[in-house]
Amino acid sequence: MPLLFIGYVVAYLDRVNVGFAKLQMLNDLHFSEAMYGFGAGIFFVGYFFFEVPSNLLMHRVGARRWIARIMVTWAVISAATAWVTSPTMFYVLRFVLGIAEAGFFPGLVLYLTYWFPAQRRGKMVAFLMAGNPVSGIVGGPVSGLILQRLAGHGGMAGWQWLFIIEALPALVLGVVIYFFLDDRVKDAKWLAEHEREHIQREIDAEARTKSHSSVGQTFSSAKVWLCCAILFGIVMGSYAVGFWQPTIIRTSGIKDPFTIGLLTIVPYLYALISMILVGRHADRTRERRWHVVIPQLVAASGFVVCAFAGTNPWIALLGLTMAATGVVTALPMFWALPTSFLGGAGAAAGIALINSTGNLAGFVSPAVVGWLKTMTHSLNSSLFLIAGCLCLSALLILTRMPARLVNR
């Protein structure tokens, strides 16, 4: 779990560090807000098309080799973003980065179903996805410091150094995972034989209660597509925070990149505490729906607060803290829903389909926010739209996802 956790920290950092690079690269490259939003979001188009094949390949060849391959290729492509000179180059590299990273997160979620039964998996998914806020806690100050201190060194801008330096951990970790990650419980030499047998019995017992559908049946399942729609609403909020948080802080009157980086620690710190506590409570009570819905409503309220913050940085920070805490907590709690009824090859396809379709919001969110900001010269209309998406997603859970299906 620590190895997977560090991998997710690095993955999320490389995915959204473009939000910090934006503070400098837009002026250097003469990009508009709409160009940035489209480029930030097109990552998820490549992600969408290659996610299901990637997860099916991981199920076949094993997590160790496939996750290592993903990390090394995305590290190289992320670093190459430092040499972008035109909108077209930016769009192409972000699209290819999405292809390279496709399958990483759903692969990890699928991988956890090989090791943990449902009553412990919620806590493990929360621990894994704690990499999201931790990447913000670590990445914010580091990104701000790189932008501030390395600008001009070696004839390169600070945002260029940002992409290069923050790609290196993924390259190293890909090699580490190849040599140290065990594909299945039976491969874990660090467990005693009776421990491996005990864990495998639990996994096998749970597998018998799941729907082991084919890939084709998974693609036609109404429950799977419902999960896609629910995740889409949550991800709209997640990437509004990930891609626009530095901009919201700067709009409130804070201009120094390093100070902006320090302030991003606050929302992510609260989010980290919340997701761990809520994950434990969900596993203890075995209640799943409200543990997703309540964080979504908190996040929606936070985006509304941000819209009314104006130039008051403290109100903006309060709204961002509510928004980040809500969406970061809702995401791992959401994954307890589909993994409670999907099994076998259907799980590999279903988890990937849900993640890839839901993550299309990662394209829609920054693209729409960027376009609306360019048209209205304000983030407010975008923030209200994001809040509405979160509320609609919560309503779908309460009206279309019966408790008897997921509370286990």
Side-chain angles (χ1 to χ4, degrees):
M1 286 307 300
L3 188 58
L4 299 182
F5 169 77
I6 296 169
Y8 192 68
V9 170
V10 172
Y12 199 81
L13 181 61
D14 280 349
R15 187 182 297 183
V16 302
N17 59 5
V18 69
F20 270 93
K22 169 186 181 287
L23 299 176
Q24 292 181 352
M25 70 184 293
L26 262 63
N27 287 333
D28 289 355
L29 301 178
H30 308 291
F31 287 3
S32 69
E33 297 280 354
M35 288 176 182
Y36 161 75
F38 182 80
I42 202 171
F43 168 96
F44 294 96
V45 179
Y47 198 80
F48 171 77
F49 285 111
F50 287 85
E51 186 112 312
V52 173
S54 177
N55 232 35
L56 291 173
L57 279 168
M58 194 202 87
H59 188 61
R60 179 174 297 179
V61 306
R64 178 179 62 85
R65 284 180 288 179
W66 196 247
I67 291 174
R69 192 281 307 164
I70 288 173
M71 298 196 76
V72 171
T73 52
W74 102 50
V76 173
I77 296 165
S78 183
T81 311
W83 287 276
V84 161
T85 57
S86 69
T88 301
M89 286 180 67
F90 182 49
Y91 301 156
V92 169
L93 278 173
R94 290 291 296 178
F95 178 78
V96 175
L97 183 64
I99 294 174
E101 195 182 320
F104 179 73
F105 175 71
L108 296 186
V109 173
L110 177 64
Y111 183 67
L112 293 183
T113 67
Y114 302 158
W115 288 80
F116 299 100
Q119 67 267 24
R120 292 203 302 275
R121 197 161 53 241
K123 184 168 59 178
M124 292 301 105
V125 173
F127 177 75
L128 172 66
M129 295 191 71
N132 179 328
V134 168
S135 73
I137 293 168
V138 175
V142 170
S143 298
L145 195 62
I146 292 171
L147 292 177
Q148 184 184 68
R149 297 292 176 85
L150 293 184
H153 281 256
M156 293 179 21
W159 63 268
Q160 292 177 297
W161 282 114
L162 177 68
F163 284 121
I164 295 169
I165 292 172
E166 293 187 354
L168 293 176
L171 189 63
V172 173
L173 198 62
V175 176
V176 172
I177 282 176
Y178 181 81
F179 286 104
F180 291 100
L181 191 69
D182 294 310
D183 284 330
R184 298 275 185 162
V185 175
K186 64 181 176 61
D187 303 317
K189 299 297 188 292
W190 43 272
L191 286 172
E193 184 177 354
H194 72 277
E195 291 173 326
R196 291 196 295 269
E197 291 174 353
H198 175 76
I199 294 170
Q200 195 60 55
R201 280 197 301 272
E202 285 192 322
I203 300 300
D204 292 342
E206 183 189 1
R208 289 191 288 270
T209 69
K210 292 182 176 181
S211 171
H212 288 260
S213 55
S214 67
V215 173
Q217 289 171 324
T218 298
F219 273 70
S220 61
S221 168
K223 290 183 292 187
V224 169
W225 286 104
L226 173 62
C227 287
C228 292
I230 292 167
L231 182 61
F232 189 94
I234 302 173
V235 174
M236 284 289 287
S238 176
Y239 285 108
V241 174
F243 287 130
W244 295 94
Q245 183 172 227
T247 301
I248 292 171
I249 295 174
R250 186 169 66 177
T251 302
S252 72
I254 307 296
K255 303 300 181 184
D256 177 65
F258 183 57
T259 304
I260 292 173
L262 288 176
L263 288 176
T264 61
I265 292 176
V266 177
Y268 284 121
L269 184 60
Y270 277 92
L272 175 61
I273 296 168
S274 171
M275 71 186 303
I276 292 173
L277 294 178
V278 172
R280 289 177 177 174
H281 188 265
D283 278 353
R284 186 168 63 250
T285 61
R286 299 199 181 185
E287 198 290 320
R288 305 300 177 184
R289 299 191 310 160
W290 284 103
H291 286 83
V292 187
V293 168
I294 292 175
Q296 286 180 278
L297 298 180
V298 170
S301 302
F303 284 113
V304 172
V305 171
C306 286
F308 289 104
T311 57
N312 188 317
W314 301 113
I315 295 178
L317 194 60
L318 172 63
L320 283 170
T321 300
M322 294 172 64
T325 299
V327 294
V328 168
T329 302
L331 278 169
M333 298 304 100
F334 162 80
W335 284 106
L337 306 181
T339 56
S340 64
F341 60 80
L342 288 171
I351 291 169
L353 176 64
I354 292 165
N355 192 64
S356 60
T357 306
N359 270 284
L360 279 178
F363 169 71
V364 174
S365 180
V368 169
V369 171
W371 179 77
L372 285 174
K373 190 173 189 296
T374 298
M375 297 300 294
T376 65
H377 306 289
S378 170
L379 279 172
N380 288 1
S381 56
S382 306
L383 296 173
F384 289 130
L385 174 64
I386 300 296
C389 290
L390 284 160
C391 290
L392 181 59
S393 177
L395 186 64
L396 286 175
I397 293 174
L398 293 178
T399 59
R400 299 295 181 183
M401 186 74 68
R404 58 179 169 74
L405 180 67
V406 296
N407 288 351
R408 59 177 65 182

